[in-house]
Amino acid sequence: MAGTAFKPDISIKLLDDITAWEVWNDPVIQYGFFGTSALSLDTEFKSAYRQTFGNAKPDANFAFASLATRAFNMIDNVVAIDFERSEDELTVDLVLTSTNDKPKSSIEGFFQFPGDSTAVEFDYWSIGALNSGMGALKAKAELGGGQYANWTVLHEIGHSVGLMHTHDDETGNPRASVGKFMDNERYSVMSYNGAANATKYGHAVSLMALDIAALQALYGAETYAMGDSTYTLMSAKGGKLSLAEGDVQIGRAYYSIWDSGGNADRIDYAGGKKSVLINLNDATLDTSGTSADIAELISQLRVTNFFDSMSSKLRSGIVNELYHAGGFFSQVLDVKKGKYVGTDGGFSIANGATIEDATGGKANDLLIGNEYDNSINGLNGDDTILGGAGEDRLSGGAGKDWIDGGTGNDFLWGGAARDVFVFSTGYGTDTIMDFGEDDRINLKKMANNSQADIEQNGLDLVITFNSGDVLIVKNATFEEVNGHFIL
């Protein structure tokens, strides 16, 4: 049993709208899995269960123990309170049971909110129950995937710690602050709208970005993944799912990254044979508009060939401000009807988490940096790399690459084949490290009145613009670079 309190003041309306009025007020919350004895613990438990499942008997053993344990661990990783498993009826706070006894309900499950059932005066506990007889909840995950049951378990346990639906329960419409665009499992496991129609893949294996932010607003943020972590994207059935701290691997599953440490955290698709989109920007939680940094990245993206090859849905996830609050996705791409589309799964980055680096695969990739100092490597393929703000190190690798460092003093490598380096007013000092005879320097976005002083500094060509921006081309002369500008 545990105490409860009114939730703290939450200044962000989006988060306030999806959190319950009461929260747990103990530093450690105990959860337990119970069989037929669950209903005898509390008359309020029995009443709540009967309202949903009628006279169906609870299973002898809770059917979703491994998924629920994983769900509680995922919550523990992101919030300041701790969760421990206990079957002690005198101390347990959250009681979970299941039923396969032909329950008189099509409901997948329920879980009470904090404070819904009273154990003794000023001490509370909650019961949750899941429908183990439902076919969709019996489906096992494909290799590396997130199954339907994982989403359901996360959803119901979310209620038990104070998360509400992303829709209005009376009207069924999305809450106004969430909107129809973010009323989806990809942004919150508390949505009724799944990220995929499948049962064996395409679902959340962690809380998503809105859930993490909401729970951190209620309970505070946990320190987690303090070293240099790797978050690996895999193609469908490309390997085992791993949710280990600092070494996460997902196939067709959704995972939102909470990472509070490290200087070289990386989203990785090295070795992957398909195209990939990696976006290092975190969820903004801001539904009022687009930040200056994101707006600049969108502007840089719109002029690329890759943007023209993206499906409208894939584009919208990046350029439409109504999605930004819930996060940007990194995901393996397929090609359908000549356009890139996202596969069923991917990483988002929770608000306040910082991922510095990205590595592409063997095909044509879109790799997008953030406001921090990024190290981005496209490897093979004709890659499009946008560094964003910060002092970045961007490498296209083999293939015909488009490399735009953005603002900040950046170091740029094109690699083999004909590469295009983009430079513009406000970019600071960029250095092209390996300019080749087939490469081009794109200056189309320089201010109309731009003028430049060109000088040879030893082996390097230095171009200083009247805006104060400087472009250095290593181991090159004006004669070698002249004629390679795109104006």
Side-chain angles (χ1 to χ4, degrees), residues 38-39 43-54 56 58 62 64 94-99 103 105-113 116-117 125-132 137 152-160 165 190 192:
L39 303 188
T43 57
E44 291 177 293
F45 285 3
K46 188 174 183 178
S47 176
Y49 178 92
R50 294 294 185 216
Q51 287 177 14
T52 303
F53 293 128
F62 179 56
F64 303 94
L94 304 176
V95 173
L96 266 167
T97 190
S98 60
T99 179
S105 176
S106 60
I107 293 176
E108 296 168 5
F110 74 92
F111 215 137
Q112 294 176 312
F113 289 105
D116 273 3
S117 287
W125 52 357
S126 296
I127 186 172
L130 293 167
N131 188 341
S132 57
L137 298 184
T152 301
V153 171
L154 283 164
H155 177 107
E156 301 306 342
I157 291 176
H159 285 314
S160 78
H165 292 141
M190 306 311 294
Y192 274 8

Side-chain angles (χ1 to χ4, degrees), residues 150-468:
N150 210 134
W151 170 32
T152 301
V153 171
L154 283 164
H155 177 107
E156 301 306 342
I157 291 176
H159 285 314
S160 78
V161 291
L163 292 179
M164 297 176 65
H165 292 141
T166 51
H167 62 267
D168 183 288
D169 287 332
E170 291 186 5
T171 66
N173 296 325
R175 297 184 188 276
S177 58
V178 175
K180 66 178 182 179
F181 295 98
M182 292 189 296
D183 185 17
N184 188 278
E185 178 192 1
R186 286 160 45 104
Y187 301 98
S188 170
V189 297
M190 306 311 294
S191 174
Y192 274 8
N193 298 313
N197 293 323
T199 57
K200 295 183 178 181
Y201 63 85
H203 296 287
V205 293
S206 77
L207 296 172
M208 298 309 291
L210 294 184
D211 310 312
I212 292 171
L215 286 181
Q216 289 179 343
L218 295 179
Y219 300 106
E222 180 65 280
T223 298
Y224 184 72
M226 291 298 292
D228 293 337
S229 304
T230 301
Y231 300 90
T232 302
L233 288 164
M234 300 182 294
S235 299
K237 301 179 182 180
K240 291 183 178 180
L241 181 75
S242 171
L243 304 181
E245 182 175 3
D247 186 18
V248 177
Q249 297 182 132
I250 60 170
R252 289 196 288 185
Y254 284 98
Y255 181 101
S256 190
I257 297 170
W258 173 246
D259 188 302
S260 52
N263 297 309
D265 302 309
R266 182 174 75 255
I267 296 179
D268 189 287
Y269 188 58
K273 296 180 180 180
K274 293 189 174 185
S275 293
V276 70
L277 160 62
I278 298 179
N279 193 328
L280 299 182
N281 291 278
D282 62 330
T284 68
L285 304 183
D286 184 1
T287 57
S288 65
T290 303
S291 70
D293 285 342
I294 298 298
E296 179 61 24
L297 280 168
I298 292 172
S299 175
Q300 294 165 7
L301 174 61
R302 286 185 182 278
V303 300
T304 67
N305 290 332
F306 200 102
F307 183 78
D308 294 335
S309 300
M310 299 168 72
S311 67
S312 59
K313 182 177 179 180
L314 193 63
R315 287 182 186 176
S316 293
I318 301 174
V319 305
N320 188 334
E321 64 186 37
L322 298 176
Y323 291 100
H324 297 172
F328 303 84
F329 283 89
S330 298
Q331 53 192 151
V332 178
L333 303 179
D334 283 328
V335 178
K336 293 183 179 180
K337 296 182 179 179
K339 297 288 186 179
Y340 289 114
V341 298
T343 56
D344 290 319
F347 290 117
S348 67
I349 302 173
N351 179 262
T354 302
I355 305 299
E356 294 85 2
D357 302 338
T359 304
K362 296 181 178 180
N364 306 336
D365 305 323
L366 172 59
L367 310 175
I368 302 175
N370 54 30
E371 68 269 33
Y372 299 98
D373 299 343
N374 304 134
S375 178
I376 300 178
N377 193 336
L379 298 183
N380 296 335
D382 299 342
D383 304 314
T384 299
I385 303 177
L386 311 177
E391 298 185 359
D392 306 316
R393 301 174 70 86
L394 311 180
S395 175
K400 301 174 182 178
D401 306 309
W402 176 283
I403 303 176
D404 188 335
T407 58
N409 302 329
D410 307 311
F411 293 89
L412 315 175
W413 288 263
R418 178 176 176 172
D419 305 304
V420 176
F421 300 95
V422 179
F423 192 72
S424 183
T425 304
Y427 273 29
T429 299
D430 282 4
T431 304
I432 300 173
M433 302 296 292
D434 64 344
F435 190 84
E437 61 181 1
D438 293 325
D439 293 340
R440 298 292 185 269
I441 298 174
N442 187 318
L443 300 177
K444 282 187 174 182
K445 293 179 66 178
M446 292 295 299
N448 290 334
N449 60 349
S450 293
Q451 299 179 10
D453 291 328
I454 301 174
E455 61 178 343
Q456 195 71 33
N457 184 7
L459 297 176
D460 306 330
L461 182 67
V462 180
I463 307 172
T464 304
F465 294 88
N466 59 341
S467 60

